[in-house]
Amino acid sequence: MLPFIREDLNQFEAYTPHPGGDSGSAVKSDLIMDRLDTNESPYDLPGELKQKLASIYQRDIETNRYPDGSHEPVKKAIANYVNSAISEVSTPITADYVSVGNGSDELIRSLLIATCLNGSGSILVANPTFSMYAILAQTLGVPVVTVNRSEANFEIDLIAAKQAILDQQNPPIKVVFVVHPNSPTANALTEAELDWLRSLPQHILVVIDEAYFEFSQTTVAGEITQHPNWVILRTFSKAFRLASLRVGYAITSPELTTILEKVRLPYNLPSFSQEAALLALTHREELQQVIPEIIRERDRLWTRLANHPLFKFWPSDANFIYGRLKSNNSDQRLNQIVQAMKSQGSLIRHTGGGLRITIGTPAENKRTGDRLFSLIDN
């Protein structure tokens, strides 16, 4: 350990991208890999939109100039999109309610900086869930309080969560992170969970991550003006097919967006990423035409795997499905399965005590289903 590095960092593990197994494992060089381990869209931007984006780059972007640090055009376009998906808008969302980040990860980090540094607060998460909440908190020296989820349907243990908020006093819980629907378990928040979030006092920040909103079509954005202690996170990495360009956004009160502007890095979102987000929103109907197909494929794969003799897979509200072994659901056995799938050409994710499988193209889903059933004979 380098003597000038914080000692606690030696205990942490970094987030591992594309964790489809050990990169040193022997895989046939001519094998086409089905990358179903990172919840991306299986479809790239259409060629004509790539050409439009290339034209915008050539015509409008000066690479010697900093990007627009205000993000104003992007925030206005996002606000219009958010309003279009809310059935009843008593108070329309404006650009003042939107903050833009280099992926949702940057926004999570900014929220932690704004609330919990210097021993002023801790966070609450219900495992299994998106690991970056805890990873980012730990890198900032912020304590992480965890509660469990129901083994039956992965609903948060609300009794334990309420008790944790009462018990954790030094430092107190300042932020509650939830995903709607959750990753990796793919279940949307229940009405009981939402009622609990609505009941939390104003001194606790509630972060509701809607990264998979376009697939679940379930949102609480219509309530954001009623809850000044709420933040909704979303991303362009999933349904909008811009994972490589790292555009995330937060919907929250203008007062909190002002704070986020204070703690974010200047010029945090490159010009090309901003233009891509604007283009994606302009052509959102075209880009989202594949969502019904992805949902049909999700349900088809889940129905098929629901009959798997080795696994239990749960219904999904997202663009992935989650399952666990019915017996011997050990990390070692799950790692073996991930490696076996990789050797055949399917990358899937071992996370949260189970396996998460992103929905790909029909051909990718069929091959992956076939390979999972072939494990029976191994």
Side-chain angles (χ1 to χ4, degrees), residues 11 54 81 101-103 170 176 193 220-221 226 230 239 241 276 282 299 303 314 344:
Q11 304 169 23
Y81 170 62
N102 195 288
N170 189 26
V176 173
E193 290 170 312
V220 292
Q226 305 166 35
W230 278 20
R241 316 187 202 180
T282 300
D299 295 344
T303 299
W314 280 264
Q344 296 180 57

Side-chain angles (χ1 to χ4, degrees), residues 16-28 33 37 338-339 342 347:
T16 305
H18 298 283
D22 181 2
S23 59
S25 300
V27 177
K28 297 178 183 177
M33 301 303 293
D37 59 336
V338 168
Q339 290 295 337
K342 180 180 179 181
L347 295 179

Side-chain angles (χ1 to χ4, degrees), residues 102-109 233-235 246-249:
N102 195 288
S104 297
D105 294 339
E106 184 191 21
L107 291 161
I108 295 166
R109 193 171 186 271
L233 297 178
R234 290 192 187 164
T235 179
R246 310 302 298 129
V247 185
Y249 61 97

Side-chain angles (χ1 to χ4, degrees), residues 179-245:
V179 197
H180 182 44
N182 188 47
S183 177
T185 55
N187 56 301
L189 290 167
T190 64
E191 197 59 33
E193 290 170 312
L194 288 170
D195 284 343
W196 170 62
L197 297 176
R198 295 178 183 117
S199 73
L200 289 173
Q202 295 292 303
H203 63 265
I204 294 178
L205 179 66
V206 176
V207 181
I208 304 171
D209 193 335
E210 292 188 350
Y212 306 99
F213 154 70
E214 284 81 9
F215 303 101
S216 71
Q217 286 299 305
T218 302
T219 180
V220 292
E223 299 184 47
I224 201 70
T225 59
Q226 305 166 35
H227 301 284
N229 63 322
W230 278 20
V231 177
I232 295 172
L233 297 178
R234 290 192 187 164
T235 179
F236 283 79
S237 295
K238 312 300 181 182
F240 282 106
R241 316 187 202 180
L242 298 182
S244 70
L245 300 182

Side-chain angles (χ1 to χ4, degrees), residues 82-93 222:
V82 172
N83 288 327
S84 72
I86 302 173
S87 56
E88 297 181 6
V89 184
S90 56
T91 304
I93 302 300

Side-chain angles (χ1 to χ4, degrees), residues 66-72 75 261 264 266-269 274:
Y66 287 114
D68 178 2
S70 73
H71 312 137
E72 200 63 25
K75 291 195 289 188
E261 288 298 297
R264 74 167 170 86
Y267 310 116
N268 59 325
L269 198 61
Q274 294 189 46

Side-chain angles (χ1 to χ4, degrees), residues 129-172:
T129 195
F130 183 42
S131 61
M132 284 306 296
Y133 307 134
I135 290 172
L136 289 170
Q138 290 170 335
T139 61
L140 294 171
V142 174
V144 180
V145 180
T146 62
V147 296
N148 294 323
R149 293 174 177 269
S150 163
E151 290 290 325
N153 61 5
F154 300 112
E155 185 176 353
I156 298 169
D157 184 341
L158 294 179
I159 295 175
K162 293 172 184 177
Q163 192 62 46
I165 290 174
L166 293 174
D167 292 344
Q168 179 68 24
Q169 297 297 328
N170 189 26

